[in-house]
Amino acid sequence: MSQFNEETQKEMQTFIEQLRASSQLQQNIANFTNKCWDKCVSGTPSTSFSSSEQGCLANCVERFLDTSVFIVKRIEEQRANRGFT
Amino acid sequence: MQAKKDEMKRELENEIRVQQAQGLLASIDEKCFAKCITKPGTSMSRTEETCLSRCLDRYMEAFDIVSRVYLARIQRERIDRST
């Protein structure tokens, strides 16, 4: 990228940052689909999802996100507690 | 210069898109193989093919549901934080 001037380098950096963020988002969607498929889709695939499978997939995403929030909170609590003893 | 920049951006975007598509395909292969080819025979049966095409459709549907719910949550949290 040394062939570019400073302004252009900055522009490309911003572009790459945005690309990284959007690809992380896509990566998460793919990852959640993979995990929630295992949890929610049972038996031989049919021509449509049952409403309980649909509900499970939606809940699965929400609870996965809750899980990661909870774990971070828990670790912070433990670290704070250790600070007092 | 501008053309060169645009070309570079397009190449980067394409590269990522191809990688993501390959990753998704690999997941579909894995999940649908597990569901549909329970006892591998000497050739693929009609039943297995039917199962595979339904499985593919359901996987894409699951992907849509997941992205809808996930994006809605991100949106919601963004609004919560800004108020």
Side-chain angles (χ1 to χ4, degrees), chain A residues 63-75:
Chain A
R63 295 299 79 72
F64 185 87
L65 294 166
D66 288 348
T67 300
S68 83
V69 171
F70 178 85
I71 295 295
V72 169
K73 224 170 64 193
R74 197 74 194 98
I75 288 170

Side-chain angles (χ1 to χ4, degrees), chain A residues 22-34:
Chain A
S22 84
S23 103
Q24 183 60 56
L25 198 84
Q26 287 296 317
Q27 194 75 51
N28 288 344
I29 294 171
N31 182 24
F32 298 161
T33 306
N34 192 312

Side-chain angles (χ1 to χ4, degrees), chain A residues 12-66:
Chain A
M12 291 309 283
Q13 241 158 35
T14 310
F15 176 79
I16 287 169
E17 243 358 280
Q18 284 164 350
L19 208 58
R20 208 198 302 277
S22 84
S23 103
Q24 183 60 56
L25 198 84
Q26 287 296 317
Q27 194 75 51
N28 288 344
I29 294 171
N31 182 24
F32 298 161
T33 306
N34 192 312
K35 285 197 170 62
C36 295
W37 174 269
D38 289 343
K39 284 223 189 286
C40 298
V41 184
S42 55
T44 312
S46 71
T47 49
S48 67
F49 279 137
S50 65
S51 58
S52 76
E53 281 170 321
Q54 279 176 19
C56 179
L57 286 166
N59 290 338
C60 174
V61 175
E62 298 279 8
R63 295 299 79 72
F64 185 87
L65 294 166
D66 288 348

